[in-house]
Amino acid sequence: MTDGLFDVPGQAAGESDGRGRVEFRGAGDSVPLAVRMRPASLEEVVGQQHLLGPGSPLRRLVEGSGAASVLLYGPPGTGKTTLASLISQATGRRFEALSALSAGVKEVRAVIDLARRRLTVGEQTVLFIDEVHRFSKTQQDALLAAVENRIVLLVGATTENPSFSVVSPLLSRSLVLQLQSLTDADIRQVLQRAIDDPRGFGGEYTVTEAALDHIVRIAGGDARRALTALEASAESSLDGNVDVDLVEASVDKAAVRYDRAGDQHYDVVSAFIKSIRGSDVDAALHYLARMMSAGEDPRFIARRLVISASEDIGMADPTALQSAVAAAQVVQLIGMPEAQLTLTHATIHLATSPKSGAVPAALGAAMSDISAGKAGLVPPHLRDGHYAGAAKLGNAQGYRYPHDDPDGVLAQQYPPDDLVGRDYYTPTDHGNEREIGPRVQKLRRIVRGK
């Protein structure tokens, strides 16, 4: 039932004892370096010290004294699969693994039935589900009774926030533990161990400091990616030496921490908008490039820019909205990749524009009054007069036409009676609003007859 998650290429490569432990016999180079270097004990785990402290829930699980199911949430290459295997080893339970990419309700129920039969002879089962967020609601619901009755100890791995992707009943029955990306020092330790350890290269290769630095940089906190890059570089070496040029020739590009379907999607776009709001043009460009490199829908990016133009800039720079709308139109007219330049153009314009939150504040204040019931009747002189009998009702009588005044503005009541004198729009002294502010005050005095 392992679905290949813990299998190694070729039957001769390794044999499992059925409890999550895999022994590599005669595997040679056929087993990927990242698999060979998977930690065999808690002492070999690198990083995640915030979860592995003395007495912590995860340490108790790994040491075999915990009984709660757990959801391990974090970026790729941070040790989720490793920890699941260690939990199985420590508890002495049978180990079963499913991938949500290929397993369905039938496979889930088959494992649960097997676990139930094992219980009759005193054997317990750890069920590891990789990418559990990809399970449908029905598939997740199929796990509930087994988890609640402890027929299986569930260990779910996910790169997405379980709060968004896991059903509430299953979430409430599990510990949610967030793994963090490995630090550069962590990745370097993983690489050095692979270079020196007999399970890895056993000192057969010499890797320069510059090459190690480059691998650490492109790994992006992902140990699996780092080991894969090291292995690809070593395989390309003709003399046992690995330098930075060899690494660059062997590895395409750094990982992009982004998932269009998950919470990383929302995290990155949130950081993008907040960087624009904070006037950090360089950070905004970083997140823009990150989205575009990951293949984000350019229409989504354009929509966010249009919203930001009014939400964060508004009248401080009225041309920002024009740039954002123009970018959205260019996306529609010419598409990608050419529209990348236009999105960059708009991002730079918005990030470097003076900022004002006066537009959303004005709307919020007006909406608050409406919610509080402060609607009131439209003043009679402002009501529609284009129908028979309007005049008899007093509608549109006494209305003063502003264009008849030389200044184009005159004293007249516009809001309902209860809202006369209520100010919603408060211009800042940023950018264009520095000039708008005094004008708004002057207009209010004239209109209100003060």
Side-chain angles (χ1 to χ4, degrees):
M1 301 298 296
T2 60
D3 198 35
L5 283 174
F6 293 93
D7 295 342
V8 294
Q11 189 64 33
E15 295 181 9
S16 171
D17 66 357
R19 299 183 185 272
R21 291 184 286 266
V22 176
E23 299 178 10
F24 300 105
R25 305 196 190 106
D29 293 334
S30 63
V31 182
L33 180 64
V35 176
R36 301 202 305 273
M37 294 309 302
R38 181 166 290 155
S41 67
L42 190 60
E43 289 68 31
E44 290 187 358
V45 174
V46 175
Q48 314 311 332
Q49 296 309 305
H50 65 295
L51 296 178
L52 294 171
S56 67
L58 184 56
R59 178 173 280 275
R60 290 201 305 272
L61 275 171
V62 173
E63 291 178 343
S65 59
S69 291
V70 62
L71 296 173
L72 301 175
Y73 155 48
T78 51
K80 298 185 292 296
T81 303
T82 291
L83 290 170
S85 179
L86 291 177
I87 290 170
S88 177
Q89 292 180 37
T91 57
R93 301 185 184 197
R94 304 284 292 187
F95 188 88
E96 299 291 345
L98 296 175
S99 170
L101 290 173
S102 56
V105 173
K106 178 181 177 181
E107 287 77 13
V108 171
R109 289 176 175 163
V111 171
I112 293 173
D113 289 342
L114 179 61
R116 189 178 286 109
R117 291 196 298 272
R118 285 173 178 163
L119 279 176
T120 62
V121 294
E123 286 188 337
Q124 295 179 309
T125 302
V126 170
L127 172 57
F128 174 70
I129 299 180
D130 194 26
E131 302 203 60
V132 67
H133 60 275
R134 296 187 183 273
F135 263 176
S136 67
K137 182 180 183 299
T138 301
Q139 290 168 313
Q140 292 184 33
D141 286 343
L143 294 165
L144 289 177
V147 171
E148 188 168 29
N149 297 322
R150 296 190 173 176
I151 295 171
V152 297
L153 177 68
L154 174 67
V155 180
T158 174
T159 56
E160 297 189 9
N161 191 332
S163 299
F164 302 136
S165 56
V166 176
V167 295
S168 296
L170 186 57
L171 201 61
S172 66
R173 290 166 172 79
S174 308
L175 290 173
V176 178
L177 303 176
Q178 183 173 8
L179 280 67
Q180 298 175 352
S181 293
L182 301 184
T183 66
D184 287 353
D186 292 335
I187 295 295
R188 197 175 187 88
Q189 181 180 343
V190 168
L191 291 171
Q192 194 62 56
R193 180 186 294 166
I195 293 169
D196 299 334
D197 196 294
R199 291 175 297 171
F201 295 137
E204 293 181 7
Y205 291 91
T206 300
V207 185
T208 68
E209 290 297 312
L212 282 175
D213 289 342
H214 186 64
I215 294 174
V216 169
R217 186 164 55 253
I218 65 176
D222 185 330
R224 187 185 302 109
R225 182 176 177 83
L227 291 171
T228 300
L230 176 63
E231 184 174 33
S233 303
E235 288 175 350
S236 300
S237 176
L238 300 178
D239 57 4
N241 294 311
V242 177
D243 58 20
V244 68
D245 291 335
L246 187 61
V247 174
E248 289 178 341
S250 304
V251 182
D252 290 331
K253 59 180 179 180
V256 176
R257 284 274 181 258
Y258 194 78
D259 181 348
R260 284 183 291 165
D263 64 298
Q264 292 173 20
H265 159 91
Y266 296 105
D267 288 345
V268 172
V269 75
S270 175
F272 175 59
I273 294 303
K274 288 172 182 174
S275 298
I276 291 175
R277 182 181 301 139
S279 299
D280 190 330
V281 63
D282 303 296
L285 288 172
H286 164 78
Y287 292 117
L288 174 66
R290 197 156 159 177
M291 288 188 287
M292 293 193 298
S293 296
E296 178 59 84
D297 185 344
R299 296 170 299 177
F300 172 77
I301 300 173
R303 286 195 297 269
R304 294 304 307 168
L305 288 170
V306 171
I307 294 168
S308 177
S310 292
E311 182 179 17
D312 299 318
I313 299 166
M315 294 302 295
D317 180 3
T319 65
L321 180 58
Q322 298 171 12
S323 289
V325 171
Q329 291 174 335
V330 168
V331 166
Q332 295 288 348
L333 289 172
I334 67 173
M336 301 293 266
E338 291 83 357
Q340 289 181 344
L341 292 175
T342 307
L343 291 172
T344 303
H345 177 168
T347 296
I348 293 172
H349 186 158
L350 270 60
T352 57
S353 291
K355 303 300 187 295
S356 170
V359 168
L363 176 62
M367 295 293 286
S368 178
D369 276 352
I370 298 299
S371 297
K374 297 180 180 179
L377 297 174
V378 174
H381 59 281
L382 299 184
R383 297 174 189 170
D384 181 24
H386 295 88
Y387 61 92
K392 290 182 179 180
L393 295 174
N395 293 352
Q397 302 301 300
Y399 172 66
R400 301 180 65 192
Y401 192 54
H403 294 304
D404 289 340
D405 188 276
D407 294 327
V409 60
L410 43 75
Q412 183 164 234
Q413 180 181 333
Y414 290 96
D417 292 343
D418 292 345
L419 295 173
V420 171
R422 178 77 164 95
D423 295 348
Y424 293 124
Y425 178 46
T426 304
T428 69
D429 60 355
H430 304 158
N432 188 63
E433 283 192 324
R434 188 181 298 113
E435 299 178 7
I436 293 175
R439 176 170 173 76
V440 168
Q441 293 304 320
K442 181 179 179 181
L443 290 171
R444 283 174 176 156
R445 287 194 298 270
I446 295 172
V447 169
R448 296 171 184 176
K450 296 181 178 180

